[in-house]
Amino acid sequence: MSKQLWISALLAMLLAACASKPIEEPKAPVAEASSSQPAEPMMDNSADTSGAGDADMSGKAMLDPRKDPNNILYTRSVFFDYNKDEVKAEYRPLVEAHAKYLVEHPEAKLILQGNTDDRGSREFNLALGQRRSVAVKNVMNVLGASDRQIETVSYGEEKQRCAEQTESCWAQNRRADIVYEGE
Amino acid sequence: MLRILLLLSLLLPVGANAALDIEIIGGAAQQIPIAVLPFNHPLKRDDLSQVISADLYRSGLFRLIETGGVATLPRELAEVKYPEWTALQAQGLVIGKVEPSAGGRLKVSFRLLDVLKQNQMAAFEYDITPGQLRQTAHKIADVIYQKFTGEPGVFATRISYVLKNGPRYTLVVADADGYGPQPVLSSTEPIISPTWAPDGTKLAYVSFEKKKPIIYVQSLTSGQRTVLANYKGNNSAPAWSPDSQRLAIVLTQGANSQISIINADGTGLQKLSRSQTIDTEPQWSSDGKWIYFSSDRGGSPQIYRMSPLGGEPQRVTFEGGYNVSPRLSPDGKQLAFIRRDGGKFQIATQDLANHQVQVLSDSTNDESPSFAPNGRLIIYATKVNGKGVLSVVSSDGKVRQRLSESGDVREPAWGPAVN
């Protein structure tokens, strides 16, 4: 019995029980950044376009694909090689899936948060994080997602997911996170 | 290079009331033996001599002579018996006193004596408020340092740094010895790149409090702050011009960070660099003729310089595949920067005349160098057992101090000399 299935079932129950409330994800893909309220006015939208809203309208617990652990849209991080900003082939399907979601949901908006590991200069890392977020945006643009739906920011090395000085830890920090409006 | 690694614990109570704990590593080969005698002032606070001694000790250039065995410690010139101090092998002798003055003020007087020549090297009097005692002690230490080394001291200067404690970031200004930390800004979002206006009245810094990097300028006298730059994308890496009138800043044009120049009041934005790569971390030379910056225009991150009027950049660093965070010495002769070598990120200097590179640390996660106003010391951030601490290294690499706090300390910047 997979843990993911169990979580998925629990999520469905939670959705049914309190569909109008934001859902606490048991395994948040963006630990620190997800608690952030985005900065730009375009993201400061009080209208709820999240999955919880869909459930309300349909009157039953239709799971938002972005919150379904079995859906590729649940995955929100694109990882990069050291000092690089190329979106690697293995992350193309993920980025393409989110681009497709944006095309199919013109009202949906997301923010791409570029991050780096914590070695070297904070300012250079801030610049590198920006490159990473824009690199992901460029792939989404090619697939038809509108600039109006995508904002890019960089946190440089300021939002570490893993704090140890090991390659596996650094690899987790070299990433762009996909955060939808309202999350 | 002398590497004593003594990790001496100070007998003097410098740690008391100081937010930063200080460790000294190494010392100059030739230390000046000096005796600093008690000033015995009427308010019975920490004696000035303790503050002066701690300053001189931290510089690594002085050896403090124990005076416990001397029967009567002089406070007046007429009471000084030179043979006593010659016997203790003192080269310098500091005597002084604190007396009540009009209106609750204090009169501090001191003399610096050359024991070998048996004459007076310096004598000063200060009329101060009781709250200025520590600062006066630092000024006296500066006089002593200058008389023996020929260079201005930096004991009476201030530093800024960012303290991270749990989720909280605090921008702090403190005396150069870590004493008297004052919070300037507190936030649950990161604060980076604080930098002093050359006139010492303001700090520019980058705060993520609005969930994106925005540059602010804050007055240290009134506490009032203004947004310097809040354009679409990132606003970061502020650097003051030598006259404090303008700043070089970094904005993003799509993917690429590029350098612009803006007036200190946020008007008159002008683009400077125009590349399809990262150009960031601008720093003005003190003569105002150059802006040094880091860029990966050549493939790997390296340091370049260009005129603030524009034109073609020139490459400055050539050794190694990662050289960032350029900072110029006040005399413009040395460049301090962070270089990666075999997985280590270390502070180094490059002589701008002969291009000689010297690595100044043996740590592996150095960041954010900043020169003291006399160019003799460089403060930088590093990590010890995963915890962020500050280090101060002499620009010849011979003396190092470590300053640590209860939280993570990072992003140090040395303030300008004060009068």
Side-chain angles (χ1 to χ4, degrees), chain A residues 88-122:
Chain A
K88 293 194 278 186
E90 63 195 282
Y91 298 106
R92 290 264 165 180
L94 168 63
V95 177
E96 284 164 9
H98 284 284
K100 184 161 173 277
Y101 184 89
L102 289 180
V103 170
E104 288 169 358
H105 298 79
E107 79 291 351
K109 290 173 181 173
L110 57 76
I111 194 159
L112 296 168
Q113 301 170 338
N115 298 274
T116 70
D117 70 37
D118 67 350
R119 295 172 296 165
S121 151
R122 284 179 193 276

Side-chain angles (χ1 to χ4, degrees), chain A residues 32 35-40 82-83 111 118-131 134-135 138 150-159 165 170, chain B residues 169 189-190 192-193 206 208 210-213 234 236-238 252 254-257 276-278 280-281 294-296 301 322 324-325 340 345 365 367 383 410-411:
Chain A
E32 253 183 297
S35 64
S36 302
Q37 291 301 311
E40 296 297 300
Y82 175 69
N83 223 5
I111 194 159
D118 67 350
R119 295 172 296 165
S121 151
R122 284 179 193 276
E123 282 288 352
F124 206 90
N125 283 337
L126 187 65
L128 180 59
Q130 180 67 11
R131 277 237 195 107
V134 173
N138 288 344
I150 306 170
E151 183 176 5
T152 54
V153 298
S154 176
Y155 285 116
E157 64 177 81
E158 308 304 325
K159 301 275 182 182
Q165 296 293 308
W170 293 325
Chain B
Y169 299 80
E189 294 294 333
I192 64 169
S193 306
V206 176
F208 287 70
K210 301 274 193 264
K211 312 295 177 189
K212 62 173 276 187
N234 301 332
S236 71
T252 40
N256 290 313
S257 297
Q276 300 300 311
T277 58
I278 291 172
T280 188
E281 303 189 293
S294 58
S295 172
D296 61 355
Y322 186 98
V324 295
S325 304
R340 189 189 70 219
F345 293 79
N365 284 290
E367 288 181 11
K383 284 196 177 117
R410 72 273 291 271
E411 298 292 270

Side-chain angles (χ1 to χ4, degrees), chain B residues 400-419:
Chain B
R400 262 187 291 133
Q401 325 163 23
R402 186 177 296 151
L403 301 89
S404 62
E405 250 218 39
S406 53
D408 264 314
V409 202
R410 72 273 291 271
E411 298 292 270
W414 210 309
V418 286
N419 295 319

Side-chain angles (χ1 to χ4, degrees), chain A:
Chain A
M1 172 73 180
S2 94
K3 192 177 168 186
Q4 284 208 329
L5 269 176
W6 189 87
I7 290 169
S8 164
L10 178 70
L11 262 177
M13 281 166 64
L14 280 169
L15 273 167
C18 51
S20 63
K21 286 186 181 168
I23 306 304
E24 282 285 322
E25 292 176 26
K27 188 180 151 196
V30 277
E32 253 183 297
S34 65
S35 64
S36 302
Q37 291 301 311
E40 296 297 300
M42 71 171 246
M43 303 301 282
D44 269 343
N45 191 342
S46 55
D48 188 358
T49 54
S50 72
D54 289 345
D56 259 351
M57 287 165 69
S58 63
K60 59 177 182 178
M62 249 181 60
L63 192 58
D64 183 328
R66 299 170 300 177
K67 298 186 189 300
D68 174 2
N70 295 318
N71 193 300
I72 191 169
L73 294 174
Y74 186 79
T75 307
R76 303 297 184 82
S77 294
V78 178
F79 296 92
F80 295 84
D81 288 338
Y82 175 69
N83 223 5
K84 294 278 190 280
D85 58 50
E86 282 93 42
V87 178
K88 293 194 278 186
E90 63 195 282
Y91 298 106
R92 290 264 165 180
L94 168 63
V95 177
E96 284 164 9
H98 284 284
K100 184 161 173 277
Y101 184 89
L102 289 180
V103 170
E104 288 169 358
H105 298 79
E107 79 291 351
K109 290 173 181 173
L110 57 76
I111 194 159
L112 296 168
Q113 301 170 338
N115 298 274
T116 70
D117 70 37
D118 67 350
R119 295 172 296 165
S121 151
R122 284 179 193 276
E123 282 288 352
F124 206 90
N125 283 337
L126 187 65
L128 180 59
Q130 180 67 11
R131 277 237 195 107
R132 288 176 176 164
S133 64
V134 173
V136 175
K137 181 180 90 76
N138 288 344
V139 174
M140 290 182 170
N141 284 151
V142 168
L143 294 161
S146 157
D147 267 353
R148 188 186 51 78
Q149 293 174 280
I150 306 170
E151 183 176 5
T152 54
V153 298
S154 176
Y155 285 116
E157 64 177 81
E158 308 304 325
K159 301 275 182 182
Q160 300 287 300
R161 184 180 286 181
C162 183
E164 288 155 36
Q165 296 293 308
T166 60
E167 175 49 38
S168 71
C169 222
W170 293 325
Q172 290 182 58
N173 293 332
R174 295 191 296 260
R175 67 185 196 279
D177 290 327
I178 299 164
V179 181
Y180 281 89
E181 181 179 42
E183 289 183 329

